[in-house]
Amino acid sequence: MNEIGRASASLAALAPRIKDAWYVIAMSHEVTGTPIVRALYGVPITVFRRPDGSAAALLDRCPHRNVPLSGGKVVEGDLQCPYHGWRFAADGRCTAIPGLDGPADHPARRATAYPVREQQGFVWVWGEPDKEPVGEPFRFRLADDPAYLTVRREVRTRGSVHAVVENALDVPHTAFLHGGLFREDRKDRRPIRCVIQRHQDRVECEFIGESRPTGLAGRILSPSGGMVTHFDRFFLPSITEVEYRIGDENHIVLNGACTPVDDWDTRLYAVVCIRTRLPRWLVRLAVQPLAMHIFGQDAVVLKQQADALHSFGEASYASTDIDLLGPHILRLMTRAARGEPVDPNAPPYVRETTLLV
Ligand code: FES
Ligand SMILES: [Fe+2]
């Protein structure tokens, strides 16, 4: 699609599949000795915790007769299928076949295993099973900092990863869809500068000259106002970051790690790190419900968008200069899905535009 102007696209073009990447598959507290099922690009994966505390992820299909392994249980650290009792280690090796006179392990009897990492309250899997991962999962840079209150939440939305990510980083809709909560649809809008830098693996927009958002959330977080620094960022494959500094004391970094359950169903794992003068109980009391309300409004409109795209069978998108990041993100995702090599140090594409807020 062109970045600016009008363009049609197939639904598949709006949902590029990036398999060689880390995705959050579950929150740490959800992963226990009882297996659960999660999906990535429509493929069911069972996730469980072994007695040594490590998390493991296997394709939810027993290699014997294809019964879901998630119906089984963890026995001596391995996952036992509920049908004939075959057992599988975290790396997929078959470790026991009840009744078989001979060794259980054989290449044809292996379960499909996903590389797993667990950090900062999330379990991540590499999108291609049985493959050596490249790099490590995204780190939420303030989530371990005791000066910050960190809140983790999951929001599930009907919508492609691209649509969810674009929404999370889209400024113009906030005055409308969330009117009054964060920004307001005012007549006396003022221009701010938006500087976009697109690298090969990320894109960022810096907003210059913005005053404190006038809505309820801004007033709660920074009653006295103050200078605002604001960045919106996207990192491949599917991570969003909104960073605000308001005055000297208020710093908020809101990350969203998006996982494609399938092409049109996305789980967004939100990590919000807040440092403010307000007591933590007050932030929890006031800001959390507000944030969840805002996420809920977004989820409704994203579902409407996805339903409309499906009923028309294609997209016909008219974009302007103030669709700041969405078109750039689609471009990065499309290239990554094609497996094009990424040079994070290549000079960025830079563009500046004006937005009235
Ligand atoms: S189907 Fe799993 S052990 Fe037979
Ligand atoms: Fe929104």
Side-chain angles (χ1 to χ4, degrees):
M1 285 223 279
N2 292 334
E3 286 177 10
I4 303 300
R6 187 172 185 116
S8 297
S10 69
L11 295 189
L14 292 180
R17 294 183 180 176
I18 306 171
K19 297 283 184 70
D20 282 312
W22 288 106
Y23 292 100
V24 172
I25 199 73
M27 295 172 93
S28 286
H29 70 83
E30 298 174 301
V31 179
T32 67
T34 304
I36 56 170
V37 194
R38 290 287 183 271
L40 183 65
Y41 288 119
V43 177
I45 297 171
T46 181
V47 192
F48 58 98
R49 197 174 292 286
R50 305 164 70 221
D52 68 1
S54 62
L58 298 174
L59 183 70
D60 196 15
R61 180 168 75 167
C62 177
H64 181 217
R65 289 294 179 266
N66 291 193
V67 165
L69 290 171
S70 55
K73 59 183 179 193
V74 179
V75 178
E76 292 169 10
D78 295 343
L79 187 54
Q80 182 177 55
C81 177
Y83 194 3
H84 306 88
W86 290 25
R87 286 189 208 166
F88 304 94
D91 63 1
R93 227 168 2 97
C94 183
T95 55
I97 297 181
L100 181 71
D101 185 13
D105 188 25
H106 184 280
R109 302 175 198 147
R110 288 180 79 92
T112 302
Y114 287 80
V116 171
R117 299 284 187 278
E118 185 165 17
Q119 60 187 40
Q120 297 183 304
F122 296 99
V123 176
W124 301 69
V125 296
W126 183 252
E128 288 281 17
D130 293 330
K131 224 174 151 182
E132 203 45 51
V134 181
E136 290 298 313
F138 185 84
R139 283 204 85 85
F140 303 103
R141 60 193 151 103
L142 300 171
D144 305 318
D145 187 332
Y148 287 76
L149 168 69
T150 298
V151 178
R152 295 170 178 80
R153 284 286 178 278
E154 182 203 327
V155 187
R156 189 165 177 177
T157 308
R158 172 154 160 78
S160 66
V161 165
H162 175 260
V164 172
V165 159
E166 176 178 55
N167 167 270
L169 299 177
D170 178 62
V171 173
H173 85 278
T174 54
F176 250 84
L177 183 66
H178 314 301
L181 293 177
F182 192 59
R183 294 190 177 83
E184 290 161 314
D185 185 22
R186 300 179 309 173
K187 294 220 165 47
D188 59 332
R189 291 186 179 223
R190 259 174 284 163
I192 59 171
R193 281 170 61 211
C194 309
V195 181
I196 296 168
Q197 290 200 43
R198 186 183 72 222
H199 297 258
Q200 290 189 7
D201 59 347
R202 63 194 190 277
V203 54
E204 128 180 332
C205 183
E206 180 178 7
F207 299 83
I208 301 166
E210 191 176 356
S211 40
R212 188 203 65 187
T214 47
L216 187 58
R219 288 202 299 272
I220 292 172
L221 283 169
S222 185
S224 51
M227 276 296 295
V228 172
T229 317
H230 173 194
F231 288 89
D232 285 352
R233 303 187 179 96
F234 167 79
F235 305 91
L236 279 173
S238 59
I239 311 271
T240 62
E241 182 167 294
V242 175
E243 177 171 17
Y244 268 99
R245 275 178 207 280
I246 309 175
D248 296 335
E249 289 168 319
N250 303 288
H251 187 206
I252 303 162
V253 177
L254 198 158
N255 282 115
C258 294
T259 300
V261 175
D262 64 32
D263 290 341
W264 294 93
D265 180 358
T266 300
R267 288 182 196 263
L268 180 142
Y269 294 93
V271 179
V272 188
C273 297
I274 307 180
R275 195 192 64 206
T276 158
R277 213 169 18 145
L278 298 177
R280 290 186 176 207
W281 64 266
L282 185 60
V283 177
R284 285 189 191 278
L285 200 72
V287 177
Q288 278 202 98
L290 200 59
M292 291 313 282
H293 181 70
I294 290 173
F295 277 133
Q297 290 176 322
D298 285 325
V300 169
V301 88
L302 285 165
K303 179 180 183 308
Q304 291 171 343
Q305 180 189 39
D307 289 345
L309 287 168
H310 280 83
S311 61
F312 287 103
E314 55 148 20
S316 170
Y317 280 3
S319 297
T320 75
D321 266 343
I322 62 166
D323 290 302
L324 295 164
L325 291 177
H328 294 290
I329 293 167
L330 187 58
R331 185 186 177 114
L332 293 184
M333 291 178 74
T334 304
R335 290 183 47 132
R338 282 199 216 113
E340 290 184 25
V342 162
D343 176 2
N345 301 317
Y349 163 91
V350 183
R351 180 189 171 88
E352 191 171 325
T353 189
T354 299
L355 173 69
L356 302 177
V357 291

